[in-house]
């Protein structure tokens, strides 16, 4: 019988319990743990203190402008509970309070309803009604809807529509996709994973993503997992990666943003959030995602049948992949990648080199939205910008300095996306194309170029429409006409809608 747990909410004005927590969605291990404890001070001295760059490095300057760098501190600074009046705010759910009260109160009900609906689906499935394990696993396909099943047959296509797939699976895209890929690779049988434990783990992973986040939610995790699968199928990786590497890559993709609060690291630091204190302002969100994932692995006992040493190695390697998605360390990984490519010394028969390529693949999958076809890329761009602006609204409401790119009055979707593509996405995918010069790599670069041009065209059109609207409105005020002003206003508003994107950017 599947048990539905209610996640307790820790008020921010209380210190984090030092005992080991076993509940999902919270911090799963104490800071004194030998495996998940405080980082080595020598590593901290190398990593903390923003990004190493010179004035000519535009990529690093842009990342620094994003203010996602690690803020330097000396030693461990305990939580200052009385230093700010807003410490009592639960920032994990705060964004739901900005809207009307009814929407805020109905969000938890929607999450519970969705989970219960999927639990009924699980209980009705043939697998959990006692099908012997010796029956081939593909029999589970009978539980998929026909359309979702057809989409899974093309899951390796780069134009895979994760939004449509999420609708066809009733909001369970991450569970359905992850299980399908694990089964397709034969990893369930190879690693002798208990089917019920696996289902329970995937259900809990999906539920620990906050569905109220416009961007960092379970659909994003499913999209990253699908992109990771596309990269794992690339010739260089397909012939070199081991089954362990593939299992690790898929799990890391599915859990890489687990429990994301919908705000960035600088926000957690400047509000003295307990996560920032716990992880010493170093890769705060990524550490939280990793340890939340390990907490679920241990709670479900998914790898409890493996030797303890193997299980610990799996957890460490999972953390290494997830920590690589920290955007503040972008230059560190990109420079190392360039050096390997320049020296042509990558040897995928070497386990450490394979792991590094998995890190780069996950980094690419995490920010691959600009490389998708326009219809998909545009949706993701709007969602991530909505989350930025949502954080900015919170900061304004509580009299905080508004973070860069989070002010809806000063930024647009287009200028944010053009900057991100220019200084972050293009350098990364250019190097990936050097490593894996395939049709997929060229397709991704092609889409990104078209998408960037499309955003540029939209920006110009919106600017010209705004400039034309001003004199038109002024002329209307001075004219003595019988037409009411609101009639002209309606006409102007109707004229502000952007023109269609050129057909070439709709390539799929």
């Amino acid at each position: 019988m599947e048990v539905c747990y209610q996640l307790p909410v820790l008020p921010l004005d209380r210190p984090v319990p030092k005992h080991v927590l076993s509940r999902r969605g919270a911090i799963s291990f104490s800071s004194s743990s030998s495996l998940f404890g405080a980082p080595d001070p020598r590593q901290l001295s190398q990593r903390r203190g923003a990004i190493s760059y010179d004035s000519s490095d535009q990529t690093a300057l842009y990342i620094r402008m994003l203010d996602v760098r690690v803020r330097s501190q000396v030693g461990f600074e305990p939580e200052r509970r009385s230093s700010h009046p807003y410490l009592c705010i639960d920032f994990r759910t705060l964004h739901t309070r900005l809207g009307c009260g009814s929407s805020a109160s109905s969000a938890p009900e929607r999450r519970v309803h969705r989970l219960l609906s999927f639990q009924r689906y699980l209980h009705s499935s043939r697998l959990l009604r006692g099908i012997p394990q010796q029956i081939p696993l593909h029999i589970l396909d009978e539980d998929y809807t026909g359309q979702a099943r057809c989409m899974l047959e093309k899951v390796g296509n780069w134009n895979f529509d994760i939004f449509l797939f999420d609708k066809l699976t009733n909001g369970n895209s991450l569970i359905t996709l992850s299980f399908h890929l694990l089964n397709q690779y034969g990893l369930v049988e190879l690693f002798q994973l208990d089917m019920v434990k696996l289902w329970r783990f995937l259900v809990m992973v999906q539920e620990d993503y906050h569905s109220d986040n416009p961007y960092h939610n379970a659909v994003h995790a499913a999209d990253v997992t699908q992109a990771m699968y596309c990269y794992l199928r690339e010739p260089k990786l397909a012939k070199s990666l081991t089954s362990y590497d593939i299992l690790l890559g898929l799990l890391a993709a599915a859990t890489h943003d687990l429990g994301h609060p919908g705000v960035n690291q600088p926000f957690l630091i400047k509000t003295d959030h307990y996560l920032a204190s716990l992880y010493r302002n170093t890769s705060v969100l990524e550490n939280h995602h990793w340890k939340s994932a390990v907490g679920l692995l241990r709670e479900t006992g998914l790898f409890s049948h493996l030797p303890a040493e193997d299980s610990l190695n799996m957890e460490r390697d999972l953390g290494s992949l997830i920590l690589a998605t920290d955007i503040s360390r972008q230059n560190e990984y990109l420079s190392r990648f360039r050096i390997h490519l320049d020296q042509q010394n990558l040897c995928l028969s070497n386990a450490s080199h394979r792991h590094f390529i998995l890190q780069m693949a996950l980094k690419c999958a995490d920010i691959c939205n600009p490389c998708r076809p326009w219809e998909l890329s545009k949706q993701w761009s709007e969602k991530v910008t909505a989350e930025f602006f949502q954080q900015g609204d919170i900061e304004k409401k509580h009299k905080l300095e508004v973070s860069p790119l989070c002010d809806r009055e000063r930024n647009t979707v287009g200028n944010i996306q053009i900057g991100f593509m220019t200084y972050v996405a293009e350098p990364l995918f250019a190097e990936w194309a050097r490593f894996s010069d395939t049709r997929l790599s060229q397709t991704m670069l092609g889409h990104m170029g078209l998408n960037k041009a499309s955003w540029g065209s939209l920006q110009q059109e919106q600017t010209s429409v705004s400039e034309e609207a001003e004199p038109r409105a002024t002329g209307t005020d001075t004219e003595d006409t019988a037409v009411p002003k609101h009639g002209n206003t309606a006409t102007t508003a109707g004229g502000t809608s952007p023109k269609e994107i050129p057909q070439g950017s709709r390539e799929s």
Side-chain angles (χ1 to χ4, degrees), residues 134-171:
Q134 60 266 26
I135 293 180
L137 295 179
H138 62 74
I139 199 168
L140 290 175
D141 284 351
E142 296 178 11
D143 285 318
Y144 298 154
T145 64
Q147 290 175 303
R149 185 177 175 184
C150 288
M151 287 194 70
L152 285 175
E153 293 176 358
K154 300 180 180 180
V155 70
N157 290 358
W158 187 246
N159 60 351
F160 187 85
D161 190 341
I162 197 65
F163 298 110
L164 175 60
F165 186 71
D166 192 62
K167 292 178 182 177
L168 295 177
T169 55
N170 193 30

Side-chain angles (χ1 to χ4, degrees), residues 414-474:
N415 62 34
I416 291 175
Q417 287 305 305
I418 291 173
F420 182 78
M421 292 182 200
T422 302
Y423 299 112
V424 179
E426 285 179 347
L428 176 62
F429 284 95
E431 297 305 319
W432 180 263
R434 286 180 61 197
F435 164 72
S436 178
D437 188 11
T438 63
R439 181 178 179 181
L440 174 59
S441 295
Q442 297 307 316
T443 298
M444 291 191 297
L445 291 175
H447 282 314
M448 181 155 49
L450 290 171
N451 294 337
K452 186 176 178 180
S454 297
W455 283 119
S457 299
L458 277 180
Q459 286 287 96
Q460 292 178 357
E461 291 171 5
Q462 291 171 352
T463 300
S464 61
V465 168
S466 299
E467 291 175 351
E468 292 174 2
E470 280 187 24
R472 189 182 306 166
T474 304

Side-chain angles (χ1 to χ4, degrees), residues 7 15 17 108 111 116 138 144 161 187 219 234 313 351 368 412 414 449 456:
L7 174 64
R111 289 197 299 270
L116 292 179
H138 62 74
Y144 298 154
D161 190 341
L187 301 173
V219 183
E234 291 288 79
N313 288 335
C368 72
T412 64

Side-chain angles (χ1 to χ4, degrees), residues 55-300:
S55 58
S56 64
D57 192 337
Q58 294 298 316
T59 301
L61 288 173
Y62 180 80
I63 295 175
R64 188 180 181 92
M65 186 273 289
L66 289 178
D67 200 24
V68 294
R69 63 192 182 281
V70 177
R71 189 172 298 185
S72 177
Q73 277 196 356
V74 178
F76 178 76
E77 185 172 355
E79 183 178 4
R80 299 185 297 276
R81 290 186 287 168
S82 60
S83 57
H84 293 289
Y86 40 82
L87 277 178
C88 60
I89 300 169
D90 183 1
F91 291 110
R92 289 170 294 181
T93 59
L94 196 151
H95 56 268
T96 63
R97 302 177 189 175
L98 290 176
C100 59
S102 60
S103 63
S105 60
S106 62
E109 296 176 3
R110 289 198 301 270
R111 289 197 299 270
V112 171
H113 180 268
R114 192 181 77 172
L115 177 60
L116 292 179
S117 297
F118 188 67
Q119 286 175 335
R120 286 193 289 271
Y121 164 78
L122 287 179
H123 283 297
S124 65
S125 72
R126 297 181 61 186
L127 172 67
L128 297 184
R129 290 209 305 266
I131 290 183
Q133 287 196 358
Q134 60 266 26
I135 293 180
L137 295 179
H138 62 74
I139 199 168
L140 290 175
D141 284 351
E142 296 178 11
D143 285 318
Y144 298 154
T145 64
Q147 290 175 303
R149 185 177 175 184
C150 288
M151 287 194 70
L152 285 175
E153 293 176 358
K154 300 180 180 180
V155 70
N157 290 358
W158 187 246
N159 60 351
F160 187 85
D161 190 341
I162 197 65
F163 298 110
L164 175 60
F165 186 71
D166 192 62
K167 292 178 182 177
L168 295 177
T169 55
N170 193 30
N172 297 301
S173 55
L174 180 58
I175 300 169
T176 309
L177 179 67
S178 299
F179 182 83
H180 174 80
L181 295 179
L182 292 171
N183 183 33
Q184 179 169 296
Y185 275 112
L187 301 173
V188 178
E189 292 179 315
L190 182 62
F191 288 91
Q192 299 180 342
L193 302 179
D194 182 273
M195 199 71 70
V196 176
K197 290 180 179 179
L198 177 59
W199 272 111
R200 182 167 178 249
F201 171 75
L202 294 176
V203 169
M204 293 169 72
V205 166
Q206 179 173 278
E207 186 61 18
D208 275 0
Y209 279 96
H210 301 310
S211 60
D212 292 328
N213 292 340
Y215 181 81
H216 289 103
N217 50 43
V219 183
H220 166 66
D223 184 63
V224 172
T225 303
Q226 190 271 337
M228 189 67 167
Y229 172 67
C230 291
Y231 299 151
L232 295 178
R233 297 173 71 230
E234 291 288 79
K236 278 190 176 181
L237 278 70
K239 67 182 182 182
S240 304
L241 297 180
T242 65
S243 297
Y244 175 82
D245 297 328
I246 295 171
L247 175 63
L248 194 65
L250 293 176
L251 289 180
T255 61
H256 80 283
D257 273 332
L258 190 61
H260 198 292
V263 293
N264 60 20
Q265 174 172 293
F267 183 92
L268 298 178
I269 293 175
K270 69 184 177 184
T271 57
D272 286 343
H273 195 282
Y274 72 88
L275 289 177
S277 297
L278 181 64
Y279 299 121
R280 305 187 181 189
N281 299 344
T282 303
S283 299
V284 176
L285 289 171
E286 291 73 25
N287 271 298
H288 177 53
H289 305 326
W290 165 34
K291 295 178 184 180
S292 296
V294 171
L296 294 189
L297 286 174
R298 293 188 175 186
E299 182 176 349
T300 59

